[in-house]
Amino acid sequence: MDTYFLMQLINGLSVGMIYALIAIGFTLIFGVLNVVNFAHGEMYTIGAFAGLVCINMIHAPLAIIIVAALVAGGLSGIGLERIAFKPFRRFQDEASLKSRAMREATLLSSLAVSIIIKEVIQHFFGAEMQTIPGQYMLNNPIQVGPLSLSSGQFLILGSSILMLGGLQYVLYHTRIGLSIRAISNNPLGAKYVGLSVDKTIISTFAVGSMLGGAAGIMVGLYYGAIFPTMGFTPSIKAFVAMVMGGLSSIPGAVICSLILGVCESLATNYLTQGWSDMVAYSFLIVTLIFFPQGIFGSRRERV
Amino acid sequence: MPILEVSDLQVTMGPQQILRGVNLKVEQNGIVAVMGSNGVGKTTLMRAISNIYQISGGDIIFERDSISNLGADKVVKMGVCQAPEGRQIFANMSVEENLVLGAYHQDKSHFNEDLEWVFELFPILKERLKQQAGAMSGGEQQMLCIGRALMGRPKLLLMDEPSLGLAPLVVKSIFDLVVKIRDAGTAILIVEQNAKAALCVADYGYIMEGGAIILEGPSEELAKDDRLTAAYMGGHAHA
Ligand SMILES: Nc1ncnc2c1ncn2[C@@H]1O[C@H](COP(=O)(O)OP(=O)(O)OP(=O)(O)O)[C@@H](O)[C@H]1O
Ligand SMILES: [Mg+2]
């Protein structure tokens, strides 16, 4: 029973890490623009499909596949920003940069882009689950003492930690990271010191979408499930984690993602698969009712 | 030749014309004050010069080039920095990071030198370097705001109501520093409602009303002008 518990815990952490990678993108974008990007789940899907194409066309090794997912995610993020967000940003003053009208407009435009992406992928690949060659699946059993884990869990945990480290480095030790943080803190102040708000927003989308894309391919290869609407459920979970974490706190989003992953995984002991999704929704409702500022009591803004 | 020349500047916000043709000049090494009561368009003028707002007519010439359509980042790069209204510091970041951001477009090689200069003007910032900027007092935040602008090595420093909400003693020390900054070779355009204090340090002044300049002249003459004394130095309470 104890080993079973431990295995579920590790499984929960790796699922949570996936949520975290997606939630970071949501959080970064929310930080600089104060809007939710409804097409963020599609970056995850695009990452998975980009990896799949690499597998089918050039039988690339795993490292290349992940790089392809990162690049595809990043580029799509940039494109998404240009199409769905930039046109609504003709700000003349501090009010409109964070205004309600712009928020609502980009909710719809990003939703529209999300639908288009799903339709296009479906048109080319079909709606059904894609077949992944067996040797690429990340479910080789790995025995650690009494625990039977799988290679996918190691890959997910290992590379997520690496990417979180990379993100931390970018945010705190590079110029672009400094401007992302500055714009999240005070967009008008950022203009006064001469930061290029436009370039920073693009970079934010690129960084956030890269992490999303990487999450997509890792999940695809671990569960063997790549399909056009695969981004929906995980991005809802990541969204919940972002709200729980206080909307603009990256550590908050990561911790809440892990909590969510572990709770879901432990809940499968008592509930069937479909019902374990209820965990996330219950968390969301509890958070919104009792902790409208997120459970880490962040300072700024509510949904 | 003036370092800044604003001619017939117009700014419109939606249906409303906020600036109706403003003309002003700042000489090399000058301190110029723009005065006027609430809502006449002083901040709009400052934002237009910094390219935060788009202008709808006229021109802004800085050192013989037009900067009216460059974008806020290029303007800072050229050496026009602003200590804006409401301070607009990065409240969740440290004092140090705020100063680093002020020097965003500057070469790293003279960062320490510029930092020393800011510490010389505002010794308190040195003590508070690691502190969160938003946790400082209003006066300290104003110093940080000016310090941050100075880190951009301005040739022209724009100051929008630096005295707002500060105790008289602090106001005096800020105006003393304005002179010191000018003496170090930076031209200054300062917006003030406190006309008396502004005219003490400025060598030339403009009075704005309804989005246009209605009166201008050397400080000594303006200070004696009846129209100004009636409107801005009499019984009027300042915000
Ligand atoms: N972004 C904006 N959108 C709409 N109207 C604006 C905007 N910015 C300024 N205004 C209007 O322009 C007018 C001038 O504003 P401005 O802030 O320039 O005044 P000010 O002279 O700086 O006043 P104060 O002394 O109170 O700071 C005001 O009527 C204000 O409502
Ligand atoms: Mg003002």
Side-chain angles (χ1 to χ4, degrees):
Chain A
M1 186 61 206
D2 249 358
T3 45
Y4 180 73
F5 179 81
L6 218 72
M7 274 162 54
Q8 286 299 333
L9 187 70
I10 292 174
N11 189 39
L13 285 176
S14 55
V15 173
M17 272 299 186
I18 292 296
Y19 297 160
L21 291 179
I22 307 171
I24 287 169
F26 271 131
T27 308
L28 282 172
I29 291 166
F30 190 86
V32 292
L33 284 181
N34 230 26
V35 295
V36 175
N37 168 14
F38 269 129
H40 192 53
E42 275 53 55
M43 303 298 112
Y44 172 92
T45 313
I46 286 176
F49 274 89
L52 185 73
V53 168
C54 280
I55 291 174
N56 289 340
M57 309 256 291
I58 57 171
H59 310 289
L62 186 61
I64 304 278
I65 293 169
I66 292 184
V67 170
L70 283 166
V71 171
L75 292 178
S76 318
I78 293 170
L80 168 68
E81 196 278 329
R82 293 288 90 168
I83 294 169
F85 291 87
K86 169 91 200 275
F88 298 97
R89 208 166 56 239
R90 308 184 196 95
F91 37 68
Q92 271 281 59
D93 59 323
E94 72 234 71
S96 68
L97 182 63
K98 296 206 156 186
S99 87
R100 207 187 157 121
M102 151 159 163
R103 199 180 314 195
E104 282 161 7
T106 54
L107 287 183
L108 290 180
S109 61
S110 63
L111 189 62
V113 170
S114 132
I115 294 169
I116 293 168
I117 293 175
K118 275 188 289 232
E119 290 297 328
V120 168
I121 294 178
Q122 189 161 333
H123 179 78
F124 286 105
F125 294 87
E128 65 281 3
M129 239 176 289
Q130 302 292 314
T131 40
I132 297 163
Q135 75 270 26
Y136 280 101
M137 291 290 293
L138 293 171
N139 49 12
N140 305 331
I142 296 178
Q143 202 65 30
V144 182
L147 305 176
S148 41
L149 305 172
S150 83
S151 54
Q153 290 172 326
F154 281 96
L155 177 82
I156 290 174
L157 285 172
S159 39
S160 315
I161 290 170
L162 238 126
M163 282 186 255
L164 288 187
L167 176 73
Q168 212 61 12
Y169 180 82
V170 168
L171 284 180
Y172 288 91
H173 297 277
T174 65
R175 274 167 73 80
I176 194 68
L178 183 67
S179 42
I180 290 176
R181 287 186 299 128
I183 290 176
S184 305
N185 188 181
N186 184 347
L188 181 60
K191 294 194 124 191
Y192 278 114
V193 297
L195 302 190
S196 167
V197 175
D198 211 49
K199 273 187 212 152
T200 309
I201 290 173
I202 296 184
S203 324
T204 309
F205 272 83
V207 170
S209 307
M210 279 169 83
L211 299 182
I217 188 62
M218 290 196 294
V219 167
L221 298 184
Y222 178 43
Y223 292 109
I226 296 181
F227 54 99
T229 54
M230 66 185 282
F232 182 71
T233 314
S235 61
I236 296 276
K237 309 282 175 66
F239 177 77
V240 172
M242 170 183 79
V243 175
M244 285 168 67
L247 287 174
S248 49
S249 152
I250 289 178
V254 171
I255 292 169
C256 292
S257 299
L258 294 177
I259 293 175
L260 195 59
V262 168
C263 289
E264 277 186 355
S265 162
L266 295 179
T268 49
N269 274 349
Y270 312 104
L271 306 168
T272 59
Q273 178 64 48
W275 283 95
S276 74
D277 281 350
M278 290 305 291
V279 173
Y281 304 127
S282 328
F283 275 20
L284 179 62
I285 290 165
V286 169
T287 308
L288 289 177
I289 294 175
F290 296 105
F291 310 96
Q293 312 252 304
I295 53 178
F296 293 106
S298 149
R299 319 116 294 208
R300 287 204 316 171
E301 171 100 9
R302 301 192 208 171
V303 212
Chain B
M1 200 197 68
I3 188 165
L4 179 79
E5 185 164 4
V6 172
S7 50
D8 192 32
L9 185 68
Q10 298 173 30
V11 172
T12 357
M13 296 282 172
Q16 214 185 345
Q17 181 157 21
I18 314 282
L19 296 186
R20 310 163 182 277
V22 172
N23 296 289
L24 67 78
K25 270 186 208 158
V26 180
E27 294 298 333
Q28 213 93 39
N29 250 326
I31 300 181
V32 171
V34 175
M35 292 151 287
S37 42
N38 293 119
V40 297
K42 305 181 300 294
T43 299
T44 306
L45 168 67
M46 296 299 249
R47 289 188 172 176
I49 297 173
S50 281
N51 278 232
I52 305 281
Y53 286 166
Q54 246 169 19
I55 68 172
S56 50
D59 206 357
I60 306 166
I61 310 282
F62 175 69
E63 288 186 319
R64 39 181 122 245
D65 303 312
S66 169
I67 56 165
S68 56
N69 268 316
L70 278 187
D73 49 339
K74 302 270 178 7
V75 172
V76 172
K77 231 185 259 182
M78 288 182 71
V80 180
C81 301
Q82 181 163 177
E85 180 178 74
R87 299 172 192 133
Q88 304 298 344
I89 57 168
F90 301 103
N92 296 342
M93 300 172 83
S94 70
V95 169
E96 187 175 21
E97 283 180 317
N98 271 270
L99 294 172
V100 169
L101 278 158
Y104 194 81
H105 289 298
Q106 296 303 312
D107 205 88
K108 269 212 166 80
S109 60
H110 46 70
F111 181 82
N112 284 329
E113 185 190 324
D114 297 349
L115 198 61
E116 281 312 313
W117 166 232
V118 170
F119 289 159
E120 189 188 324
L121 295 169
F122 308 109
I124 189 82
L125 294 182
K126 191 168 187 171
E127 291 164 36
R128 297 290 155 90
L129 211 53
K130 299 291 171 197
Q131 193 178 323
Q132 218 190 20
M136 296 199 302
S137 79
E140 289 163 350
Q141 290 187 21
Q142 186 62 53
M143 294 175 195
L144 176 59
C145 168
I146 299 171
R148 183 181 72 179
L150 288 174
M151 290 304 288
R153 291 209 152 190
K155 294 178 197 157
L156 172 67
L157 176 64
L158 309 173
M159 303 173 90
D160 196 343
E161 302 210 40
S163 73
L164 194 71
L166 302 183
L169 216 60
V170 186
V171 173
K172 186 175 177 315
S173 74
I174 292 219
F175 277 101
D176 289 344
L177 290 175
V178 168
V179 176
K180 199 167 169 185
I181 293 168
R182 189 270 308 269
D183 292 344
T186 302
I188 293 171
L189 177 62
I190 186 168
V191 158
E192 262 300 332
Q193 283 194 44
N194 187 341
K196 208 181 229 164
L199 288 177
C200 280
V201 296
D203 24 60
Y204 201 87
Y206 294 87
I207 313 292
M208 261 181 102
E209 212 176 282
I213 305 288
I214 52 154
L215 193 64
E216 62 171 278
S219 301
E220 315 82 64
E221 279 172 35
L222 270 186
K224 278 182 278 178
D225 196 293
D226 295 339
R227 286 169 290 179
L228 178 70
T229 22
Y232 302 103
M233 295 186 184
H236 254 253
H238 297 300

